[in-house]
Amino acid sequence: MPSQYVADTVAQLAQSPIRAMTLRCTELGGVNLGQGICDTPPPSGLVTGIGPAAEAGHNAYTRYDGIDRLRRVLADKLRAYNGIDADPEHEIIVTQGSTGAFTVAMNALLNPGDRVILLEPYYGYHLNLLRVAGLTPVFVPLSNEGLQLDAEALEAQAAGAKALVLNTPGNPSGRVFTAAEMNTIADICKRHDLLCITDEIYEYFLFDDHRHISMATLPGMRERTVTMGGYSKTFSITGWRLGYLTAPRALAEPMGLVNDLYYVCAPSIVQHAVADTIDRLDQTFYQRLASDHEGRRDRFCAALHKAGLEPVIPEGAYYVLADVSRLGFDHAQDAAMHILEQAGVAGVPGSAFWQGAEGERWIRFCFGKDDPTLDRAIEQLAIARL
Ligand SMILES: Cc1ncc(COP(=O)(O)O)c(C=O)c1O
């Protein structure tokens, strides 16, 4: 029973099932593929860049939108990789992770009560952060088979909505939206005058021939799009809290104001070390990142298939949804506990990503793990009786 002093927006939040799974996994000494924490090593030179940045005296607050050098490096990267032309002086804000960017966008651009579309399955932080901001989520499910965009379902919810949240490559779907799907979303956003908030944190995690498309590059979308990204995943530094957003100046300015109020700035020494690293790395780093994860995807999906937990093969990011309906449980939480007890591998029940019954069919596993950890999970799945 929440205290009377807790805000209504927070009291309504459900306790994440990830926590219960993590606790039980620790008790059992299992392999935790539940949380989206990548434990592969950061690129060489990044960690050793922190000490010199501190010794050089970069220990004070930075400008609210980040140090000049990082904004300039990000502008170059946005132009070269994403095809977005952003003015580093007025249109890029360095944030405390992409979570900070999302929080800032929710609170600077939307009013309490506004309806915000989430494609389902969604990333739980998106849902809960928009609830804390007093916004009203509107759910548009992807198709049951293959998790494709359902244009009719989106069209039906667009009237009366203020914004749409997009996440490609997607967590937990593993979808990389195609050009056709992106064009459909863009067309609906324009016809219904929706703001598009796009979380592109997995932009480099692409498999097979899938190509990342930034929504802001589609005709007529730049002026209504906030593009968010970060280095938690790309550089395996989830605890360092370094993200960014870019948007046209008219949107970036109010977001800068809120970023200053909520966070003051992103960690100074991290900004310096990350700027140096982005500048130093060439394309081979990003290609290797994608191909290493593609190998992990292939090995882990083969193990799920053999265990009778049919995966939806991810096109990007580092999560896979496995169909657990064969196990015969009514609730994904019970299926997840069963797999943890029998195979010693923890995943997250699909009910964390869907509102309705569809979520009970799925469990999400994270394969962004170092090879010994993933190998252990694969071996344990192979010998388990599920
Ligand atoms: C879709 C998505 N966005 C954002 C984040 C968090 O990013 P950051 O560490 O930059 O706040 C995650 C982490 O799991 C994620 O899956």
Side-chain angles (χ1 to χ4, degrees):
M1 188 65 186
S3 154
Q4 59 177 315
Y5 299 114
V6 175
D8 294 345
T9 49
V10 174
Q12 63 165 328
L13 300 182
Q15 168 83 256
S16 166
I18 302 180
R19 205 169 301 165
M21 291 299 297
T22 299
L23 278 175
R24 186 71 184 125
C25 186
T26 309
E27 275 168 20
L28 293 173
V31 187
N32 194 349
L33 303 188
Q35 282 173 313
I37 300 175
C38 187
D39 50 18
T40 53
S44 68
L46 176 56
V47 174
T48 49
I50 289 287
E55 272 154 27
H58 299 306
N59 299 309
Y61 302 133
T62 69
R63 224 173 87 163
Y64 69 95
D65 53 355
I67 60 171
D68 285 0
R69 173 126 191 281
L70 181 53
R71 278 183 284 102
R72 282 202 306 271
V73 166
L74 287 171
D76 292 344
K77 170 261 177 208
L78 283 163
R79 194 173 306 112
Y81 185 68
N82 304 83
I84 298 173
D85 219 342
D87 171 3
E89 191 56 27
H90 300 292
E91 296 184 326
I92 295 177
I93 299 171
V94 176
T95 56
Q96 289 212 6
S98 68
T99 307
F102 190 80
T103 306
V104 159
M106 291 292 108
N107 289 281
L109 305 181
L110 297 164
N111 291 309
D114 281 350
R115 291 160 67 85
V116 180
I117 295 173
L118 284 182
L119 300 179
E120 209 179 21
Y122 46 76
Y123 169 55
Y125 271 62
H126 289 161
L127 172 60
N128 286 338
L129 283 170
L130 71 86
R131 281 190 165 141
V132 171
L135 301 161
T136 305
V138 176
F139 302 97
V140 173
L142 298 178
S143 69
N144 285 353
E145 301 309 322
L147 303 171
Q148 320 287 328
L149 181 74
D150 181 340
E152 271 173 38
L154 180 56
E155 182 76 51
Q157 296 292 354
K162 197 69 184 288
L164 175 144
V165 175
L166 188 65
N167 174 214
T168 180
N171 170 16
S173 70
R175 282 299 321 282
V176 176
F177 285 122
T178 61
E181 288 172 309
M182 294 291 279
N183 279 314
T184 302
I185 296 169
D187 175 53
I188 292 174
C189 284
K190 284 183 281 183
R191 276 192 292 104
H192 293 277
D193 199 17
L194 302 181
L195 172 73
C196 181
I197 297 163
T198 158
D199 179 342
E200 302 184 7
I201 189 143
Y202 297 104
E203 62 188 347
Y204 293 111
F205 295 82
L206 300 168
F207 314 137
D208 311 318
D209 293 327
H210 293 283
R211 198 170 58 87
H212 177 63
I213 301 172
S214 285
M215 182 51 93
T217 61
L218 298 194
M221 287 306 290
R222 170 89 168 107
E223 58 264 38
R224 60 175 67 252
T225 300
V226 179
T227 306
M228 312 182 309
Y231 284 85
S232 281
K233 315 286 175 173
T234 306
F235 287 172
S236 294
I237 48 166
T238 50
W240 288 18
R241 313 310 304 132
L242 205 285
Y244 62 87
L245 63 82
T246 181
R249 187 171 176 177
L251 303 181
E253 272 179 2
M255 288 193 284
L257 208 71
V258 173
N259 192 53
D260 184 14
L261 291 173
Y262 276 16
Y263 303 107
V264 183
C265 64
S268 163
I269 50 179
V270 173
Q271 293 189 52
H272 284 273
V274 167
D276 289 346
T277 305
I278 300 172
D279 212 14
R280 187 168 39 80
L281 293 175
D282 61 23
Q283 284 317 304
T284 51
F285 170 82
Y286 300 97
Q287 285 157 3
R288 178 92 196 267
L289 184 75
S291 61
D292 283 355
H293 280 80
E294 186 174 311
R296 293 185 179 109
R297 174 201 67 168
D298 290 345
R299 289 192 294 125
F300 191 64
C301 285
L304 287 172
H305 172 72
K306 273 195 207 129
L309 307 175
E310 210 47 56
V312 180
I313 307 296
E315 300 164 342
Y318 51 55
Y319 305 93
V320 54
L321 287 167
D323 186 340
V324 293
S325 42
R326 178 184 75 77
L327 302 181
F329 291 94
D330 288 341
H331 297 289
Q333 172 83 24
D334 297 333
M337 257 329 160
H338 174 77
I339 295 170
L340 177 55
E341 306 272 349
Q342 298 301 315
V345 178
V348 181
S351 41
F353 314 109
W354 273 272
Q355 291 293 295
E358 181 62 17
E360 307 300 350
R361 184 180 147 198
W362 303 102
I363 292 185
R364 186 200 74 176
F365 295 100
C366 171
F367 56 86
K369 299 286 165 189
D370 59 26
D371 288 331
T373 307
L374 199 64
D375 287 343
R376 221 183 109 207
I378 290 169
E379 279 160 27
Q380 291 179 193
L381 279 170
I383 56 173
R385 282 172 198 277
L386 293 176

